[in-house]
Amino acid sequence: MNKNRGIHFISNFNNCKGEESILIDSNLVREWLKNIIKDSRLNIVGDCFYSFGDKCGFTGVIILAESHVSIHTWPELKKVDCDVYVCNVTQDNTSKAEYIYLALKSLYQPDYENFYKVER
């Protein structure tokens, strides 16, 4: 059992090379992310996504029994901010959180990122 209460991956993806649709289509990303979370074996309890308009970015949060995943996109800047936070109280979910973070990074293909791993 992990001595930490949780792990938090925070990243700013810059100069993303993924398709434009993943920067503007909140429904597409919501469904993709829900599938990735299910693959990770974490538990979704709800979600909320908001699109800022045609060809604009979006913000979204998927609420987990273990905590949350959030994403914010700026298509005009080819930028994505995201975070994955999971609690590790009853079991170590670090590898599950890392799976989601790496899937997001693979989807958006940033040239560079600011990344923080915070043990809670």
Side-chain angles (χ1 to χ4, degrees), residues 33-74:
L33 193 51
K34 286 169 86 172
N35 286 326
I36 292 299
I37 292 168
K38 288 176 186 172
D39 288 348
S40 79
R41 303 183 63 86
L42 290 172
N43 301 291
I44 298 170
V45 297
D47 67 80
C48 181
F49 279 68
Y50 179 79
S51 177
F52 292 98
D54 189 39
K55 301 286 186 187
C56 294
F58 64 88
T59 189
V61 177
I62 296 183
I63 303 161
L64 307 175
E66 300 80 5
S67 198
H68 72 272
V69 176
S70 72
I71 185 167
H72 312 277
T73 68
W74 290 267

Side-chain angles (χ1 to χ4, degrees), residues 73-102:
T73 68
W74 290 267
E76 67 279 11
L77 301 174
K78 296 186 178 186
K79 179 177 174 35
V80 176
D81 290 347
C82 60
D83 76 299
V84 181
Y85 181 32
V86 296
C87 295
N88 288 336
V89 176
T90 60
Q91 68 180 13
D92 187 347
N93 290 307
T94 300
S95 63
K96 296 173 183 179
E98 184 175 35
Y99 176 81
I100 296 166
Y101 156 72
L102 291 173

Side-chain angles (χ1 to χ4, degrees), residues 9-13 79-84 101 105 110 112-116:
F9 296 113
I10 304 164
S11 191
N12 311 112
F13 298 145
K79 179 177 174 35
V80 176
D81 290 347
C82 60
D83 76 299
V84 181
Y101 156 72
K105 185 174 179 177
Y112 61 97
E113 70 176 309
N114 300 77
F115 174 77
Y116 309 91

